[in-house]
Amino acid sequence: MDNTILKKRLSTFKTDKGVLKNVSDELLMDILCAWESWPGSARDFYTSIGMNWKQMAKLMGKAKKLKREGRFPESEFKEIKINSESGQIMESTPCSGVEIIWNNGKIIRFSQVDLLVDFLKKAA
């Protein structure tokens, strides 16, 4: 999300004195996601959304706490580990299906191995 949009959304939660009050969980999630993908320095990030370091620290603390409590939906990120002995890639969580990259980079997902076997038989 663009930082100018975040800045405008944050301004709706500022009082006349510039104090942030009752920032929504959705906005906290968006700020945390933007922060995690920000390539520059922390100072550049919080100034680009119109905040100082104290406000940023307070909001990030709240956002991280909500994430730990499971209030934000989980992302599609999956950690994988490479077995150094065999060079095989092993997922850290159980696989819920099979994924094949087919012609022209098309991805085909199968929820069960039986469906994959049937597909490969028909494609051969």
Side-chain angles (χ1 to χ4, degrees):
M1 178 174 289
D2 189 20
N3 287 352
T4 55
I5 295 171
L6 284 176
K7 184 176 182 177
K8 288 178 184 180
R9 288 179 62 196
L10 273 169
S11 68
T12 62
F13 294 99
K14 284 188 180 180
T15 63
D16 294 335
K17 295 181 181 181
V19 178
L20 289 169
K21 294 240 180 186
N22 303 323
V23 178
S24 70
D25 292 351
E26 180 186 339
L27 181 55
L28 289 173
M29 181 182 72
D30 291 341
I31 290 171
L32 184 62
C33 290
W35 164 250
E36 289 173 347
S37 64
W38 182 257
S41 69
R43 183 183 184 113
D44 292 339
F45 178 73
Y46 64 73
T47 54
S48 71
I49 60 174
M51 297 174 53
N52 63 36
W53 66 273
K54 289 181 183 180
Q55 292 171 320
M56 184 66 178
K58 187 175 179 180
L59 288 182
M60 292 304 291
K62 284 182 184 179
K64 288 180 180 181
K65 181 181 177 190
L66 291 173
K67 187 172 184 177
R68 280 191 305 269
E69 292 174 352
R71 298 237 188 124
F72 300 153
E74 290 296 318
S75 65
E76 295 296 318
F77 175 77
K78 280 188 189 177
E79 179 183 4
I80 59 170
K81 295 181 182 178
I82 298 177
N83 188 347
S84 60
E85 295 171 5
S86 65
Q88 295 178 348
I89 297 175
M90 301 169 51
E91 290 188 41
S92 61
T93 58
C95 181
S96 61
V98 180
E99 195 173 90
I100 293 180
I101 300 177
W102 201 249
N103 297 338
N104 299 327
K106 294 179 183 176
I107 298 175
I108 303 172
R109 293 184 178 100
F110 300 93
S111 59
Q112 299 172 352
V113 176
D114 297 339
L115 297 173
L116 170 64
V117 172
D118 290 341
F119 174 79
L120 292 174
K121 285 179 184 177
K122 291 177 182 176

